[in-house]
């Protein structure tokens, strides 16, 4: 059931951060994920949008709370507010902050359930940049097939706590999962934000 905690928290955080989930597999003692940092979207957020998102995670400061309530902020405090907003903006597209909140929440829940304190995770997360489309699709397929490779699932679509299962369920309804980065077709000019492949082609690759 703790794998469910990780999956739920991972996907909920992606709705607050400017970090999209491309693929994930929550295993029994570790998690794999492929993430896309959407800097363009984060840089376009208004002050209100940033503060509303940050306040879903933390209380913020007295000034940020006042701003969100629509109260007037004195001129001499506005520069401080705007500096704070830029700090929050950068954190909301930072994988380290994303992982920090994911790990802290799961550790707190697990320690409460076990009635203990101390570290829950064995070590710090490791990350690797994916520099081209070939690396991206190869890594996504590796992640999605982890439960099959580990022999805890017979097929990708039956593997619990994975992105590929979510994609197959949605595809059967003619949709794509709303909490995962969508497939938007092969690379072309004026590409929308999304995975530069066809969903059908990706699922055929996974099946192969």
């Amino acid at each position: 059931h703790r794998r469910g905690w990780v999956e739920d928290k991972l996907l909920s955080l992606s709705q607050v951060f400017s970090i999209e989930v491309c693929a994930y597999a929550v295993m029994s003692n570790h998690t794999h994920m492929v993430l896309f940092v959407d800097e363009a979207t984060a840089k376009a957020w208004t002050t209100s949008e940033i503060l509303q998102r940050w306040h879903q995670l933390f209380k913020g400061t007295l000034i940020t709370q006042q701003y969100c309530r629509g109260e007037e902020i004195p001129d001499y405090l506005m520069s401080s507010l705007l500096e704070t907003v830029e700090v929050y903006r950068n954190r909301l597209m930072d994988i380290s902050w994303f992982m920090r909140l994911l790990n802290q929440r799961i550790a707190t829940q697990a320690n409460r359930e076990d009635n203990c304190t101390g570290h829950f995770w064995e070590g710090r997360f490791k990350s690797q940049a994916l520099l081209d489309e070939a690396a991206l699709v190869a890594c996504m397929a590796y992640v999605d097939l982890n439960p099959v490779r580990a022999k805890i699932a017979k097929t990708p679509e039956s593997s619990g706590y994975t992105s590929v299962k979510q994609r197959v369920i949605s595809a059967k309804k003619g949709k794509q999962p709303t909490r995962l980065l969508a497939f938007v077709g092969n690379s072309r000019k004026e590409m929308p934000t999304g995975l530069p492949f066809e969903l059908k082609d990706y699922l055929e690759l996974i099946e192969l």
Side-chain angles (χ1 to χ4, degrees), residues 3 8 15 21 29 67-68 82 85 95 159 163 189 206:
R3 294 168 69 195
D8 290 343
Q15 305 304 294
V21 179
N29 63 354
Y67 184 91
C68 287
L82 294 177
V85 166
I95 290 177
S159 56
S163 52
K189 289 185 178 180
I206 293 295

Side-chain angles (χ1 to χ4, degrees), residues 18-23 34-41 130 132-133 136-137 140 167 176-199 202:
S18 188
I19 295 178
E20 301 276 3
V21 179
C22 304
V34 180
L35 304 174
F36 168 64
V37 179
D38 190 352
E39 291 188 21
T41 294
L130 303 174
D132 55 35
E133 293 178 8
L136 172 61
V137 73
M140 287 179 60
R167 293 195 188 278
Q176 294 201 51
T178 57
R179 297 198 294 178
L180 295 175
L181 186 61
F183 285 82
V184 295
N186 296 322
S187 294
R188 58 193 184 278
K189 289 185 178 180
E190 305 299 325
M191 278 282 288
T193 299
L195 293 164
F197 316 104
E198 296 287 349
L199 174 60
Y202 179 73

